[in-house]
Amino acid sequence: MPIDYHTHNFRCGHAVGTLEEYVLSAIDKGLQQIGLSDHMPLIHVKPEEHPDIAMSMEELPRYVEECLSLQEKYKDRIAIRVGLEGDFIEGYEEQIEAIVKGYPWDYVIGSVHFLGTWDVTDYRQVHQWEGRGVIGAYEQYFDAIQKAAATGLYDYIGHIDAIKRFGYRLEEDAIPLEDAALQALKKHNVAFELNAAGIHAPCKEMYPSVRMLERAKAYGIAVTYGSDAHHPDKVGQKGADARTMLKNVGYTHVATFEQRKMVLKPF
């Protein structure tokens, strides 16, 4: 793939490597664009109670400043896009909006990690599935995806079916929930990503599934690609597989972003 729009760095606490190391890895792999998109600071839970999940609020301006500096430094070698993986937390839209509007982002990813105070993507919190109905969790998760799309705060939705990460699945029963989420993206002109990280998770497939990817194409929803790299070596991971998946379902262009404007590029 010529782009990678989903990367992290040491600031979030669960990734390694500096921003510059991710940029250099992208250059080494021949990417045309690299998106820097670390986790938005926690706003609805105490950071000390959820360690190593996101960068601190104090780091946010330093993160943006470094992104902009690297963008200028490497402008003749690669296009760097300044991004943020912004959690959607129902009831905290004003606080999220302040972060989104407070900095010169090229794009903001709308990701659902939390259902209340439960981070469904954190391996340390897998025990919270115990005694919980899978259908209820899926309904809450995909409802949050719809609400995220409707806010107007996000340019694309990240790992849209990450609720499956640890292998808890609804299989066919999930189709109406998935479709409702996709219809919300279409209605609000929000793209989504093909995220490679699920390959290495217990679910053992990308986000979204091929089934959901096919449905997204049928609805005419724009797609981008993200490795979700948490190590510089993972930049562009499974990019060739992602390209094949997208081609197989009929996609010919990927969404890129600059100053919150989407541009479709052939791949």
Side-chain angles (χ1 to χ4, degrees):
M1 294 291 289
I3 65 169
D4 184 350
Y5 264 61
H6 196 147
T7 62
H8 295 284
N9 71 98
F10 75 91
R11 282 183 173 87
C12 69
H14 60 278
V16 299
T18 65
L19 289 170
E20 188 162 22
E21 287 174 323
Y22 285 82
V23 170
L24 291 172
S25 178
I27 292 171
D28 184 61
K29 293 174 180 178
L31 270 63
Q32 297 171 11
Q33 296 186 21
I34 178 70
L36 305 175
S37 58
D38 209 16
H39 290 282
M40 182 185 82
L42 297 174
I43 59 173
H44 76 300
V45 294
K46 295 179 180 179
E48 61 271 19
E49 295 177 0
H50 292 76
D52 304 329
I53 285 181
M55 75 173 111
S56 67
M57 196 65 75
E58 292 75 19
E59 276 296 318
L60 183 58
R62 290 192 281 268
Y63 163 72
V64 176
E65 182 179 7
E66 186 178 356
C67 287
L68 293 171
S69 175
L70 291 170
Q71 191 178 58
E72 176 64 23
K73 181 177 180 179
Y74 290 100
K75 64 182 180 181
D76 295 329
R77 300 178 65 184
I78 191 170
I80 296 174
R81 300 293 183 247
V82 182
L84 180 76
E85 184 173 17
D87 280 292
F88 170 73
I89 308 294
E90 187 173 2
Y92 289 81
E93 290 86 352
E94 287 187 9
Q95 293 92 324
I96 298 169
E97 184 176 13
I99 293 173
V100 169
K101 292 187 175 180
Y103 296 92
W105 308 113
D106 285 310
Y107 66 102
V108 179
I109 307 171
S111 293
V112 175
H113 296 101
F114 284 92
L115 299 181
T117 59
W118 172 32
D119 183 347
V120 300
T121 67
D122 186 355
Y123 69 92
R124 296 167 298 187
Q125 299 182 46
V126 177
H127 65 278
Q128 294 210 40
W129 278 101
E130 297 173 8
R132 188 186 299 265
V134 176
I135 181 64
Y138 267 67
E139 287 173 344
Q140 189 178 356
Y141 178 87
F142 281 110
D143 179 65
I145 293 290
Q146 293 180 61
K147 289 173 178 174
T151 64
L153 296 173
Y154 307 108
D155 299 291
Y156 72 82
I157 297 297
H159 43 61
I160 193 169
D161 61 349
I163 188 70
K164 72 185 180 188
R165 179 177 184 181
F166 295 108
Y168 293 87
R169 294 178 180 270
L170 283 181
E171 299 300 343
E172 297 304 312
D173 290 346
I175 292 176
L177 299 175
E178 294 173 353
D179 268 16
L182 292 173
Q183 289 165 10
L185 267 62
K186 179 64 176 178
K187 177 180 178 180
H188 299 289
N189 195 32
V190 177
F192 74 103
E193 69 175 356
L194 181 57
N195 181 307
I199 290 289
H200 303 295
C203 64
K204 299 186 184 305
E205 67 176 9
M206 293 191 192
Y207 311 114
S209 64
V210 173
R211 177 184 71 194
M212 197 171 183
L213 193 64
E214 290 172 342
R215 298 294 293 154
K217 180 63 176 67
Y219 282 119
I221 303 169
V223 66
T224 191
Y225 158 77
S227 66
D228 211 338
H230 284 66
H231 188 290
D233 290 349
K234 296 295 185 179
V235 170
Q237 66 173 330
K238 301 295 180 179
D241 292 346
R243 184 179 186 276
T244 297
M245 284 179 64
L246 292 174
K247 288 284 189 181
N248 285 346
V249 301
Y251 278 104
T252 58
H253 291 70
V254 286
T256 65
F257 300 88
E258 186 173 10
Q259 297 180 3
R260 307 301 303 275
K261 302 294 184 183
M262 180 167 64
V263 176
L264 297 178
K265 293 180 67 70
F267 66 93

